């Protein structure tokens, strides 16, 4: 038995070596170099042999030590149990300390411009993740075109702000309403679709919006994008280094020295508040009848109909509310960048947001935060090794899927309980 | 003569060339259990699907008589039959919300009532007292039904984790939570052992007696049919071949022929 296992492991690792050879041989081994205006093959067999050996040996070792079935599942289960237990018992403290940390973050000694930018980006993704969590996690509608609503929010904010000169606080709800309208617009034709078919149509919808933005030159300036989007002001006080005669700005009003960081910090708190509103709203609505109907719809649509739940209205509200938060995030994006173009709203953005929701654990709010910090953080850490970024990204996903096949936080808490006093947060 | 609860008149359902239900007429009484039996493929479930709006009948009409009005069920499509007319149903293969808790399953059944109370979510967002009150009442109703089927101690567990027999019972009381006039049960005893089907009989008799809800039952398990039915309708090839009390049905030569075939 033991010997058999060893033999099969050796066989398996040899096979892995062969696959590695077939893959890396042509890709790494046969490198073409331009020499004297001609393409010359510059073989690197030593590197190939090294890679093949590493793959085969790695496979052999994992075979011996990790892939003994019970051990593998043991590791999975224990990792899962530790995480779940930890979050179950310390959940509230963790959430509180995370909020406190994010509140004081801009004033920590090591915080610089670069970290602030990353933090703002992460918070934007967290907000998008929370918004999409309503559609995917609660209502179970796999939406691959979420970036469309982000784009609609950004463009409607930009257009209203540029052409009418309305302030951020007026344009924000308008952008949300526009995005929600587009959510309903997408919702209607896909009411009858589920699963894969829904994913395809929503993906196409995302692309349609992007292509529309590219080609409707009169309105959107096409690929040139919209420039000169007004910056947000602090309740009417702009952030400017040189105020005009008699104009009150943020730093003169508060008697501060001007610093560009002031605006960044303001933007940071703005997105933090927007994201927290999204979170509170979702936590609350999950415990209302409409939230329960979303989850019921995810579980079994036919049973819902037999109980008199209107599937059309239920789905449309999920699309609309999810899209609305996408729109809010979009208008924040527009005001932060001061420049938007269709380039920012490609399919890869949708894919990242979906990845955040799915890896975080469908329907889990904390999971979205963990997945965002993990994925976006990883992309940033690997910024200096450009070509390896996507490998790291993919590797992270594979790791999560091995150890937590249903997402980082997969446990669902009931929205209402009979015996335990506390309703689930 | 007392008014019937449900009048089905000349119901016909065709799928292309296939006639699944052929000119079927029957009626059921209030606070009575009516069983529809018949060999496989006789069209029993199709009758249910027409009644509950999942199919649109090719021809014929179905009327539900409430205290004040006579509702034409053919006018309602899918979810409206449950919402407006109060016809609830269960399914041959159990359709609970497996990843939601037992209590949540019953709360979803009271969705329309709660949705109105929550002012289409807006009042609910601000915890308006009227909504909180209504939600409490809904929980009480759920608890009432859970007490009856003896599942109160598992109220906060996932419905999918319950044993099979309990899932069947839960599906029935979930349907009762919409406060229906007519309850349609599609093979509720399928897969239950003797003890569980005895419990099921008790539950159905309770619903009939205490709630005055008419029950329409499709069943293969003759022990259930014979024990609790007040009225039996036998279908074969979409046609009604017999109608009568349980005892009459047992001894009817037409019924025996449909199930066992004729002697050579």
């Amino acid at each position: 038995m033991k010997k058999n296992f060893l033999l099969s492991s050796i066989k398996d690792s040899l096979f892995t070596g062969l696959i590695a050879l077939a893959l890396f041989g042509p890709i790494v081994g046969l490198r073409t170099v331009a020499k004297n205006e001609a393409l010359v093959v510059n073989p690197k067999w030593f590197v190939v042999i090294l890679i093949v050996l590493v793959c085969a040996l790695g496979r052999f070792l994992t075979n011996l030590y990790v892939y003994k079935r019970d051990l593998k599942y043991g590791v999975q289960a224990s990792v899962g149990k530790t995480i779940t237990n930890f979050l179950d018992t310390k959940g509230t403290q963790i959430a509180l300390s995370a909020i406190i940390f994010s509140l004081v973050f801009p004033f920590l000694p090591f915080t610089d411009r670069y970290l602030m930018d990353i933090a703002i980006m992460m918070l934007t993704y967290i907000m998008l993740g929370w918004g999409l969590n309503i559609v995917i996690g609660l209502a179970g509608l796999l939406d691959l075109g979420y970036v469309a609503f982000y784009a609609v929010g950004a463009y409607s904010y930009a257009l209203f702000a540029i052409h009418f000169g309305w302030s951020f606080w007026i344009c924000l709800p308008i952008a949300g309403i526009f995005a929600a309208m587009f959510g309903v617009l997408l919702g209607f034709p896909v009411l009858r679709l589920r699963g894969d078919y829904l994913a395809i149509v929503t993906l196409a919808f995302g692309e349609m919006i992007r292509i529309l933005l590219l080609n409707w030159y009169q309105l959107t300036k096409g690929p040139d994008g919209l420039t000169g989007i007004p910056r947000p002001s602090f309740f009417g006080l702009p952030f400017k280094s040189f105020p005009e005669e008699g104009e009150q700005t943020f730093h003169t009003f508060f008697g501060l020295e001007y610093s560009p960081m002031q605006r960044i910090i303001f933007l940071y708190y703005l997105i933090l508040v927007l994201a927290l509103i999204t979170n509170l709203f979702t936590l609350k609505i999950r415990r209302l009848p409409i939230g329960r109907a979303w989850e019921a719809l995810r579980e079994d649509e036919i049973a819902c109909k037999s109980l008199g739940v209107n599937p059309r209205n239920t789905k449309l509200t999920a699309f609309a509310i999810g899209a609305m938060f996408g729109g809010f995030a979009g208008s924040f994006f527009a005001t932060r960048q001061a420049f938007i173009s269709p380039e920012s709203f490609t399919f890869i953005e949708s894919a990242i947001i979906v990845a955040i929701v799915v890896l975080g654990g469908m329907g889990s709010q904390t999971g979205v935060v963990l997945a965002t910090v993990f994925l976006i953080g990883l992309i940033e850490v690997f910024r200096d090794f450009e070509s390896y970024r996507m490998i790291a990204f993919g590797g992270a996903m594979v790791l999560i899927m091995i150890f937590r096949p249903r997402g980082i936080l997969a446990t669902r808490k009931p929205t209402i309980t009979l015996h335990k006093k506390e309703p689930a947060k | 003569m007392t008014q019937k609860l449900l009048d089905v008149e000349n119901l016909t359902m065709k799928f292309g060339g296939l006639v699944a239900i052929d000119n079927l007429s029957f009626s059921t009484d209030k606070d009575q259990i009516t069983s529809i039996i018949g060999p496989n493929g006789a069209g029993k479930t199709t009758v249910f699907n027409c009644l509950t709006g999942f199919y649109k009948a090719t021809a014929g009409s179905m009327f539900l008589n409430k205290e004040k009005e006579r509702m034409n069920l053919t006018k309602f499509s899918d979810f409206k039959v449950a919402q407006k007319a109060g016809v609830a149903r269960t399914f041959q293969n159990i359709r609970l919300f497996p990843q939601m808790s037992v209590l949540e399953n019953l709360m979803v059944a009271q969705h329309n009532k709660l949705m109105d109370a929550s002012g289409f979510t807006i009042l609910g967002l601000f915890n308006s007292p009227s909504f909180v009150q209504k939600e409490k009442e809904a929980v009480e109703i759920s608890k009432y039904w859970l007490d009856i089927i003896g599942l109160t101690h598992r109220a906060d567990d996932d419905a999918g984790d319950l044993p099979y027999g309990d899932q069947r019972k839960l599906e029935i009381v979930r349907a009762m939570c919409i406060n229906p006039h007519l309850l349609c049960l599609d093979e509720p005893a399928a897969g239950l052992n003797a003890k569980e089907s005895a419990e099921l009989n008790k539950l159905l008799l309770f619903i009939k007696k205490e709630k005055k809800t008419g029950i329409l039952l499709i069943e293969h398990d003759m022990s259930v049919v014979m024990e609790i039915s007040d009225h039996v309708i036998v279908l074969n090839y979409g046609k009604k071949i017999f109608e009568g009390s349980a005892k009459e049905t047992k001894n009817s030569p037409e019924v025996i022929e449909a199930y066992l075939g004729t002697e050579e």
Side-chain angles (χ1 to χ4, degrees):
Chain A
M1 186 68 199
K2 178 98 185 173
K3 202 172 172 193
N4 219 343
F5 181 67
L6 200 68
L7 202 70
S8 71
S9 302
I10 293 173
K11 243 194 217 162
D12 188 50
S13 60
L14 282 179
F15 189 62
T16 312
L18 270 180
I19 294 177
L21 186 67
L23 266 178
F24 292 104
I27 297 174
V28 182
L30 301 170
R31 195 158 194 183
T32 50
V33 191
K35 202 186 221 173
N36 302 334
E37 295 176 19
L39 229 48
V40 186
V41 176
N42 181 12
K44 287 189 168 179
W45 296 116
F46 177 69
V47 184
V48 173
I49 290 168
L50 209 68
I51 293 176
V52 169
L53 278 181
V54 165
C55 286
L57 205 67
R59 178 78 188 181
F60 184 64
L61 289 178
T62 46
N63 258 333
L64 279 192
Y65 295 108
V66 182
Y67 281 145
K68 285 177 186 168
R69 275 190 90 73
D70 37 336
L71 186 70
K72 180 185 161 202
Y73 286 104
V75 169
Q76 264 186 16
S78 67
V79 168
K81 220 180 209 157
T82 334
I83 295 178
T84 323
N85 271 350
F86 184 65
L87 284 158
D88 261 358
T89 48
K90 301 263 159 62
T92 335
Q93 285 107 306
I94 293 173
L96 264 181
S97 40
I99 289 173
I100 291 171
F101 176 74
S102 49
L103 280 176
V104 298
F105 177 75
F107 304 108
L108 293 179
F110 56 84
T111 307
D112 54 8
R113 172 76 198 255
Y114 170 69
L115 277 182
M116 283 299 282
D117 278 342
I118 293 178
I120 290 176
M121 189 165 87
M122 275 186 186
L123 280 170
T124 317
Y125 276 109
I126 287 174
M127 180 170 174
L128 286 169
W130 277 339
L132 188 60
N133 212 355
I134 296 176
V135 185
I136 294 187
L138 295 184
L141 304 161
L142 183 52
D143 183 352
L144 292 182
Y146 193 61
V147 78
F149 308 123
Y150 191 39
V152 168
Y155 269 86
S156 44
Y157 169 78
L159 290 170
F160 277 109
I162 292 173
H163 293 300
F164 298 106
W166 292 347
S167 86
F168 178 78
W169 299 107
I170 298 173
C171 292
L172 183 76
I174 293 178
I177 290 168
F178 261 82
M181 268 161 44
F182 271 80
V184 174
L185 201 70
L186 165 68
F188 259 112
V190 301
L191 278 174
R192 286 159 183 280
L193 305 180
R194 274 190 89 73
D196 322 359
Y197 304 99
L198 178 70
I200 293 167
V201 177
T202 51
L203 192 151
F205 181 79
E207 284 302 285
M208 271 160 57
I209 295 289
R210 191 177 64 85
I211 288 165
L212 189 80
L213 294 175
L214 264 178
N215 290 297
W216 194 355
Y217 194 85
Q218 294 85 343
L219 186 72
T220 65
K221 297 270 164 48
D224 304 343
L226 291 170
T227 47
I229 301 166
R231 298 289 197 165
S233 56
F234 185 83
F235 300 104
L237 299 170
F239 296 91
K240 268 189 194 169
S241 50
F242 302 108
E244 286 159 36
E245 263 312 298
E247 194 187 22
Q248 282 276 33
T249 66
F250 180 76
H251 68 282
T252 55
F253 186 82
F254 287 98
L256 297 168
E257 194 73 19
Y258 173 77
S259 142
M261 273 302 268
Q262 284 162 0
R263 197 185 67 228
I264 307 285
I265 290 172
F266 173 66
L267 283 173
Y268 173 85
Y269 280 119
L270 184 63
I271 186 67
L272 184 64
V273 168
L274 286 176
L276 285 179
I277 288 174
T278 314
N279 186 26
L280 288 178
F281 183 86
T282 314
L283 286 179
K284 176 73 201 166
I285 204 165
R286 202 181 145 238
R287 279 181 269 148
L288 291 178
I290 183 73
R292 269 196 287 271
W294 287 338
E295 289 196 83
L297 207 65
R298 176 192 70 200
E299 300 280 298
D300 196 324
E301 188 169 339
I302 290 177
C304 274
K305 282 186 193 170
S306 82
L307 298 172
V309 176
N310 183 338
R312 184 190 62 217
N313 293 0
T314 312
K315 276 188 193 178
L316 287 182
T317 39
F319 271 121
I321 291 176
M324 182 180 74
F325 286 115
F328 289 155
S331 40
F332 172 80
F333 178 77
T335 191
R336 179 196 160 206
Q337 299 280 337
F339 165 76
I340 49 170
S341 77
E343 286 287 289
S344 314
F345 307 107
T346 49
F347 171 66
I348 190 73
E349 294 294 321
S350 285
I352 290 176
I353 307 166
V354 171
I356 285 171
V357 173
V358 173
L359 294 183
M362 304 257 245
S364 164
Q365 299 289 95
T366 327
V368 166
V369 180
L370 292 178
T372 311
V373 172
F374 194 59
L375 289 183
I376 305 296
L378 211 69
I379 291 182
E380 279 310 312
V381 169
F382 278 84
R383 181 163 286 268
D384 296 336
F385 318 93
E386 282 176 60
S387 354
Y388 296 97
R389 260 168 86 182
M390 280 300 146
I391 295 183
F393 193 69
M397 288 198 204
V398 171
L399 277 182
I400 294 180
M401 285 295 118
I402 288 177
F403 287 107
R404 303 289 292 159
R406 290 175 59 208
I408 298 175
L409 282 179
T411 45
R412 175 186 177 279
K413 288 205 178 138
T415 56
I416 189 164
T417 55
L418 201 58
H419 300 304
K420 292 153 223 155
K421 281 275 175 288
E422 276 274 304
K425 282 258 163 68
Chain B
M1 193 191 118
T2 52
Q3 205 182 26
K4 299 278 182 184
L5 174 66
L6 175 76
D7 291 315
V8 175
E9 289 159 12
N10 308 321
L11 184 70
T12 301
M13 181 76 210
K14 288 181 189 162
F15 297 105
L18 180 81
V19 183
I21 309 172
D22 192 2
N23 219 5
L24 175 71
S25 301
F26 66 91
S27 43
T28 68
D29 267 327
K30 236 188 312 197
D31 53 54
Q32 265 207 356
I33 297 180
T34 307
S35 292
I36 301 179
I37 63 169
N40 284 330
K44 297 169 305 238
T45 302
T46 311
V47 173
F48 264 33
N49 282 338
C50 288
L51 261 176
T52 49
F54 282 82
Y55 293 157
K56 200 147 189 61
T58 318
S61 52
M62 299 166 288
F63 290 99
L64 188 76
N65 299 307
K66 296 191 185 175
E67 284 107 60
K68 290 199 188 99
E69 53 180 331
R70 187 172 154 88
M71 286 183 134
N72 188 352
L73 293 184
T74 14
K75 278 198 307 199
F76 298 118
S77 62
D78 53 33
F79 71 93
K80 285 198 181 121
V81 177
Q83 189 188 20
K84 299 266 181 351
V87 176
R89 73 169 293 181
T90 65
F91 296 87
Q92 212 166 337
N93 41 342
I94 306 174
R95 285 185 176 275
L96 290 170
F97 307 120
Q99 287 188 48
M100 297 174 80
S101 78
V102 171
L103 178 63
E104 283 174 311
N105 266 274
L106 300 185
M107 294 295 280
V108 171
Q110 305 175 55
H111 173 77
N112 287 312
K113 188 172 65 182
L114 288 171
M115 197 66 188
D116 288 344
S118 74
F120 297 95
T121 307
I122 293 155
L123 287 175
L125 277 179
F126 301 105
N127 272 337
S128 87
S130 64
F131 170 67
V132 174
Q133 179 58 31
K134 273 271 157 38
E135 194 173 38
K136 244 182 222 154
E137 283 168 28
V139 173
E140 282 308 310
I141 293 174
S142 312
K143 193 167 171 298
Y144 168 79
W145 282 111
L146 286 177
D147 282 339
I148 286 170
I149 58 170
L151 281 181
T152 318
H153 63 291
R154 301 208 61 176
D156 300 328
D157 295 344
D158 282 359
D161 294 344
L162 293 179
Y164 190 81
D166 287 343
Q167 293 196 13
R168 281 267 179 226
K169 282 192 278 184
L170 180 63
E171 200 192 12
I172 293 170
V173 297
R174 186 182 68 180
M176 282 309 293
C177 276
I178 77 169
N179 210 2
H181 292 268
L182 177 69
L183 177 64
C184 304
L185 304 173
D186 199 345
E187 297 198 24
L192 299 188
N193 61 31
K195 182 174 159 269
E196 286 167 333
S197 25
E199 283 171 11
L200 177 79
N201 286 354
K202 235 174 77 193
L203 175 66
L204 295 186
L205 288 173
F206 172 83
I207 290 172
K208 167 186 130 176
K209 227 173 124 193
E210 299 293 320
K211 296 288 146 191
K212 307 278 179 224
T213 305
I215 296 180
L216 198 59
L217 186 74
I218 293 178
E219 194 45 75
H220 279 299
D221 187 336
M222 284 306 147
S223 69
V224 174
V225 174
M226 292 308 154
E227 203 168 308
I228 62 170
S229 312
D230 301 298
H231 193 73
V232 178
I233 294 161
V234 188
L235 291 188
N236 199 14
Y237 296 113
K239 286 195 179 107
K240 182 167 79 181
I241 58 168
F242 186 82
E243 187 171 4
S245 73
K247 208 169 160 201
E248 287 162 10
T249 311
K250 209 164 14 179
N251 301 323
S252 149
E254 294 104 308
V255 178
I256 295 168
E257 189 192 313
Y259 271 91
L260 300 176
T262 43
E263 276 181 64
E264 285 295 313

